[in-house]
Amino acid sequence: MIADAKARVRLHIEAAAKLYDEREALLPALVQSTGLSPEGVRFAWERSYERSISESDLETLIAEAAPAASVLAVLSSNVFVAPVRALACALARSAHVFVKPSRREPHLVRALVRLEPELGMTLLTDAEASVFQGEVHVYGRKATIDAYRTSLPASSQLVSHGPGFGVAYVGPDADLDQSAAR
């Protein structure tokens, strides 16, 4: 286990960058599990996959992450590139991180965990995750969050990252192409 939170997050991001370099090996599995075309998977790798962190963002992440004895990240299947950030947040909080991959898309997170054995992250089954004692971050639909809320022991703390929507205001004089790019 690595005690220093910054070191844990840095190691995780380095593994994410290494996985990016090996991304073509995961392409067939990701095409099958996500339903995206090969071009769609490649687009997500290029545009949305996080593989670096600025020192300023790392400082902010660590400063805002309250330490926890253990953290379980229950990952959603909707966005295959999302585990990088979810696990970075968990690692900022604890040296004892457990992961419940999505049943539909487990490939990326398994590859990440394989590339960072020094972090000692443990993959859990559905049954193990549903009775986890500690801090539980659930990413997903309201039904998934509700299921964890009812199954977790009273000693667990549930932190939900559920569905939502974004809103942006574009003024009448704004350049639409430039606004859309932002």
Side-chain angles (χ1 to χ4, degrees):
M1 293 292 152
I2 299 172
D4 180 61
K6 279 187 188 178
R8 290 191 304 266
V9 173
R10 280 191 186 110
L11 183 64
H12 172 64
I13 298 300
E14 288 168 11
K18 183 175 181 177
L19 185 59
Y20 176 82
D21 292 340
E22 301 171 3
R23 66 193 176 279
E24 285 298 313
L26 277 176
L27 184 65
L30 291 173
V31 166
Q32 183 177 10
S33 66
T34 65
L36 295 170
S37 66
E39 296 78 15
V41 170
R42 288 184 181 111
F43 183 83
W45 278 110
E46 294 300 321
R47 299 294 181 117
S48 301
Y49 183 75
E50 296 176 286
R51 56 192 184 272
S52 65
I53 188 168
S54 70
E55 193 60 31
S56 147
D57 287 345
L58 179 58
E59 292 287 339
T60 300
L61 175 62
I62 299 303
E64 293 181 6
S70 61
V71 174
L72 166 61
V74 178
L75 302 175
S76 172
S77 62
N78 288 343
V79 183
F80 81 88
V81 296
V84 175
R85 182 174 291 202
L87 295 179
C89 291
L91 289 163
R93 298 176 78 78
S94 181
H96 302 283
V97 172
F98 299 82
V99 185
K100 196 333 229 133
S102 159
R103 285 186 302 271
R104 193 173 77 189
E105 203 315 279
H107 307 294
L108 186 124
V109 77
R110 286 182 181 154
L112 276 172
V113 170
R114 174 184 52 81
L115 287 172
E116 43 196 29
E118 305 90 343
L119 293 175
M121 287 191 285
T122 303
L123 298 175
L124 298 184
T125 65
D126 287 336
E128 292 167 327
S130 69
V131 296
F132 184 82
Q133 294 192 32
E135 190 170 288
V136 182
H137 291 247
V138 180
Y139 296 83
R141 303 174 309 147
K142 183 180 182 314
T144 303
I145 294 165
D146 290 345
Y148 274 90
R149 184 172 282 118
T150 59
S151 72
L152 290 171
S155 61
S156 295
Q157 178 188 358
L158 178 73
V159 180
S160 61
H161 304 273
F165 68 95
V167 175
Y169 173 77
V170 179
D173 298 328
D175 180 292
L176 291 180
D177 290 333
Q178 198 174 47
S179 296
R182 287 188 191 145

